[in-house]
Amino acid sequence: MTRSFTLALLFLVALVPVLSQPAQRTISFRIIVVESQDAAERILVRLRSGENFVALAAEVSSDPSASNGGLVGPLPASDLRPQIRSALDGLRSGELSAVIQLPTGFGIVKLVPNTDVANIGTAATTNGGPSVMVSVPTDLSAAGSVRYVADVSGYVETVLALRNVKMTIDDSQNLAKFCEVRKQLVASAQKLVQETLLSAKGAPSLAPIDRAQAYVLQSQLQAFRGDMAPAIAALQQAGKIADAEVPALRLQLVEALGVAHLHKAEQDNGLYEGPGELDLLPPRQGLRFTKTADLTAAIQYFTRYLAEVPDEYEVRWLLNIAHMYAGTYPARVPKAQLIPPTAFASSERIGRFVDVADRAGLHSVSLSGGVIVDDFDGDGRLDVVVSSIDSCAPLRFFRRTEDGRFAEQGSRAGLSDQLGGLNILQTDYDNDGFLDILVLRGAWETPQRKSLLHNNGDGTFTDVTASSGLASVITGTQAAVWVDIDNDGFLDLFVGNENGAAQLFHNRGDGTFEDIAAKAGVNRRGFTKGVAAADYDNDGWPDLYVSNLGGTNFLYRNNRNGTFTELGRGAGVPGPGQGFPTWFFDYDNDGYQDLFVGSFVTSVDEAARAYLHLPRNGQTLKLYRNLHDGSFQDVTRDAGLDKSLMVMGSNFGDIDNDGFLDMYLGTGNPSYASLVPSLLLRNSPHGGGRAFVDVTASSGTGELHKGHGVAFADLDRDGDEDLVFEVGGATPGDAHALRLFENPGNGNDWITLKLVGVKTNRAAIGARITVTVEGASGVRSIHRSVSSGGSFGASPLEQHVGLGAGARRVDVDIWWPTSNTRQRFSDVGKNRFLEITEFATEPHTLDRPPLPFPR
């Protein structure tokens, strides 16, 4: 969802805004979306030879409409993306379009009469459930007036090439082979571009726009690697052609040059490998870049652009960022373009977090990836595991040592051949008392295998993916959740995919899994970016939620017989239409699981509008409050979350130990123009636990670069949760150091509970906790459900519970779902670590001495 300079995206169409709207008409069509142009062309051949569109859509389409045979509409044609409108124009009923490109892949549409969708709201789907497609999927939508971010990164071009590489199933299973293929891609593409440029010099009849595009493509491929000087030179060549012969491209190239110079200035000043406070928004007074040549150039290009289009908020935002880096904000920003300091101010203060990753030994510079914080060796100290989307980068395993520092032991742990992985999560799938690791790959790019890594209990891991049955189908995914769907004491695995149906792997209890998604009724298709599990109706059986990037989300209620019923729209949780991370949590402490869904609107313009308090155009975050009757209420606006953001990695925890859950939202997308701060949102005690306040500025956590895995964890065992934040973009030119933000402390009381299942799964995932505390403000209850938190980044399975101020008496109740038994422990004390085993009559105190970060 960027304005890309790629040849395949038709340069002019992608960059030049649509200035007029077509006449209103109602239209219906069927659509199939697959991940590569080559796959789409093969599908088109099959359709033209007479194969059934409905059956093929259900079989292969990644669009959420697949469950309804690809059917979309009826709706106004003006609600559709320009590519869809153009493809449908001129078609007669029953005719097929050529292959068209969409943000999530390549599509084929077929015009159908509106009468075909008269019963769209109740039509049966391929798996027997109700249809959920009652409106246009967002990835097909014109999306109002959202201005998507200009793409300067080369990522789109690289992914298009990767998707068209012919690889066997065996090659797709081979991580080292995939690494080699990816390394060869950019070199091959660069050679092709150079040949194109040479041809352009010898072919004066070649259209100016084609010559300009060749230089732009060359720039994109160089920017992908992070070689910004030649990337800038190529853009300048394209700019000369545009100035003389292609005026429609001129301003777009002016902005691109500003972005490229800004990114080079960041590189030259060390913001990626050694981040300090300069890439936190807003930066502290007195900080500035020391190398300023490219920064000055960026300011000049942005100023030149705004002289012609003064109300362009994306460029205005970037101009302000550039002046912050230069130390000339706000004084030197033209008044008409200034985003005032008051726009970034926090209305509440919780103390300032400080990045201590470097001195703690957490040296990790990587692309976008996942993070797990948990105790993998049973020594009571929390370890850190990080992954990277880079198909050649191994997992990194940081073990916490007795001196308080982290030591990287990935090779010693047997993880050096585990390459790539956009997301990772932990569990104890075989109930042996040691936490295992699941690696998810292929999201945004092309199908790759998962890895299930068995913890051997001796500091090493063994890849058991093939023997467990999880390697049977290759998918592209970053979304999975461990959950015991049938309460048999063994954790099952639900996976949401981008290029196929969802998977539900039932744990047989012998180390192997069987995919029962179709039988369970949870195999709908969607471009899935997040999944979550919790018992939202308090019947003792876990339910599932699926967040899709485009279209309606799915809520699967557990029928307690191995099947699920989809209730998303009926239960009031259809999602933002552009969904990404999601989780269940009891944000208001009423004993029922509520639901958060992040939106992914890749627009710097929308972010700037939010800070300037201007009307938004994009879809908002969604917070759904559980109404205790099986339905939810959209309380987004009342909770202060009515924001249109590009949310990626994110999670929740209690940053101030007040007993109410807060959240940290990582933001970004591949473009180097996406310099939007991640957000720390406090569940404000002044709002009674029902409203969130932005405390990013006062806490010093507003990292401007790409935010991915997030974990809340008390790493130093001092009684408050620190933030571990995996930062990095999707390209080698956007690799970034990991952040560890140390919590400054707050004075409130707390308790940390480690649950151990006996009949329930050993990791206690899904167990329910109620802590009743008598404190300064009276008696209240605090509710938790054991999980690793959000759907992109994993916090420890031990549950840290803030108690507020002046706790005098603390009681703990546990509900174990498999045995359906309850424990109550009275007056357990505060500010301590307890282990509670299922069926035990007393809690066990854990020795967890403070482990401060080295100074």
Side-chain angles (χ1 to χ4, degrees), residues 379-458:
D379 64 1
R381 298 186 292 269
L382 295 174
D383 312 304
V384 176
V385 186
V386 294
S387 67
S388 171
I389 195 175
D390 181 352
S391 301
C392 299
L395 288 185
R396 306 198 72 197
F397 183 88
F398 292 90
R399 184 173 179 269
R400 192 76 184 277
T401 60
E402 292 181 3
D403 67 358
R405 293 183 63 82
F406 288 92
E408 206 288 306
Q409 299 184 355
S411 180
R412 182 185 299 181
L415 300 176
S416 57
D417 60 349
Q418 292 298 322
L419 308 177
L422 188 56
N423 198 10
I424 50 178
L425 54 157
Q426 82 277 36
T427 193
D428 182 1
Y429 78 92
D430 55 356
N431 290 340
D432 67 353
F434 294 97
L435 291 175
D436 314 296
I437 297 173
L438 178 72
V439 185
L440 303 173
R441 302 185 177 91
W444 299 113
E445 298 189 346
T446 192
Q448 299 174 50
R449 77 169 176 93
K450 310 170 186 69
S451 286
L452 179 61
L453 308 176
H454 178 261
N455 189 333
N456 300 319
D458 59 1

Side-chain angles (χ1 to χ4, degrees), residues 40-41 44 48 87 91 95-101 106-109:
E41 296 289 358
L44 186 57
R48 286 173 174 168
L91 290 184
E95 287 186 336
L96 299 165
S97 73
V99 173
I100 54 177
Q101 184 164 6
F106 294 82
I108 302 159
V109 293

Side-chain angles (χ1 to χ4, degrees), residues 598-722:
S599 61
F600 188 59
V601 182
T602 56
S603 172
V604 174
D605 175 270
E606 289 293 305
R609 287 175 174 274
Y611 281 98
L612 290 167
H613 303 290
L614 298 173
R616 59 168 180 79
N617 296 310
Q619 299 89 342
T620 72
L621 311 171
K622 288 294 181 183
L623 180 64
Y624 298 111
R625 181 171 175 267
N626 195 321
L627 296 179
H628 309 179
D629 61 359
S631 68
F632 294 78
Q633 176 187 9
D634 186 340
V635 295
T636 306
R637 183 180 295 275
D638 291 343
L641 298 176
D642 187 24
K643 305 172 186 291
S644 180
L645 302 172
M646 52 179 99
V647 181
M648 299 189 298
S650 46
N651 213 325
F652 62 89
D654 185 356
I655 55 170
D656 52 3
N657 282 344
D658 67 351
F660 291 103
L661 290 168
D662 316 295
M663 61 180 83
Y664 188 62
L665 307 182
T667 64
N669 89 314
S671 175
Y672 299 157
S674 294
L675 294 173
V676 176
S678 297
L679 298 180
L680 184 57
L681 303 177
R682 182 191 193 192
N683 191 344
S684 177
H686 305 297
R690 293 196 176 188
F692 291 82
V693 174
D694 188 341
V695 293
T696 307
S698 64
S699 64
T701 55
E703 169 63 61
L704 278 169
H705 296 111
K706 316 304 169 18
H708 284 87
V710 175
F712 288 72
D714 183 8
L715 278 168
D716 51 2
R717 298 308 198 188
D718 65 350
D720 50 47
E721 291 190 300
D722 311 299

Side-chain angles (χ1 to χ4, degrees), residues 150-362:
D151 180 35
V152 178
S153 71
Y155 183 67
V156 173
E157 291 80 358
T158 305
V159 170
L160 288 174
L162 185 62
R163 287 179 176 175
N164 283 287
V165 172
K166 304 292 192 300
M167 296 186 70
T168 67
I169 292 178
D170 288 342
D171 285 343
S172 297
Q173 294 272 13
N174 188 321
L175 300 178
K177 172 74 172 181
F178 201 89
C179 162
E180 288 304 313
V181 168
R182 189 182 178 103
K183 283 196 295 188
Q184 295 168 12
L185 277 176
V186 174
S188 298
Q190 186 71 49
K191 180 180 178 182
L192 179 61
V193 171
Q194 293 297 341
E195 293 172 352
T196 301
L197 288 169
L198 289 173
S199 299
K201 291 179 181 178
S205 61
L206 196 65
I209 189 173
D210 293 328
R211 286 187 282 121
Q213 284 191 73
Y215 280 112
V216 170
L217 183 54
Q218 180 186 38
S219 174
Q220 289 286 72
L221 295 173
Q222 289 161 334
F224 177 85
R225 296 195 306 265
D227 296 338
M228 299 311 297
I232 288 168
L235 278 178
Q236 288 170 336
Q237 290 296 323
K240 290 178 182 178
I241 297 171
D243 287 343
E245 303 177 82
V246 194
L249 302 184
R250 185 176 56 80
L251 274 181
Q252 314 300 329
L253 289 166
V254 168
E255 180 184 0
L257 278 161
V259 172
H261 277 288
L262 185 60
H263 191 72
K264 186 174 183 296
E266 291 181 312
Q267 290 177 322
D268 292 346
N269 285 273
L271 256 63
Y272 291 92
E273 294 202 2
E277 296 203 357
L278 254 175
D279 54 348
L280 301 178
L281 188 73
R284 284 191 166 178
Q285 290 293 321
L287 298 176
R288 65 188 64 196
F289 282 3
T290 57
K291 300 177 182 179
T292 60
D294 283 282
L295 194 56
T296 299
I299 290 172
Q300 290 172 346
Y301 278 113
F302 295 144
T303 302
R304 176 179 161 190
Y305 187 108
L306 291 167
E308 297 189 45
V309 190
D311 58 349
E312 178 59 76
Y313 291 111
E314 174 174 299
V315 181
R316 181 177 173 184
W317 174 272
L318 294 172
L319 176 66
N320 279 260
I321 296 295
H323 275 288
M324 291 178 189
Y325 287 159
T328 52
Y329 171 89
R332 297 283 297 278
V333 182
K335 185 176 180 180
Q337 304 300 344
L338 177 66
I339 300 176
T342 53
F344 306 112
S346 300
S347 61
E348 296 181 5
R349 307 187 69 84
I350 58 167
R352 193 167 182 90
F353 288 62
V354 176
D355 182 5
V356 298
D358 187 63
R359 68 173 188 249
L362 270 178

Side-chain angles (χ1 to χ4, degrees), residues 531-569:
V531 296
D535 177 12
Y536 79 88
D537 52 2
N538 285 358
D539 67 352
W541 296 77
D543 313 293
L544 304 170
Y545 189 75
V546 180
S547 177
N548 295 315
L549 185 63
T552 305
N553 293 351
F554 310 140
L555 174 66
Y556 294 112
R557 187 188 64 194
N558 195 325
N559 296 326
R560 296 178 280 182
N561 61 3
T563 69
F564 292 77
T565 299
E566 203 291 308
L567 298 173
R569 187 169 292 276

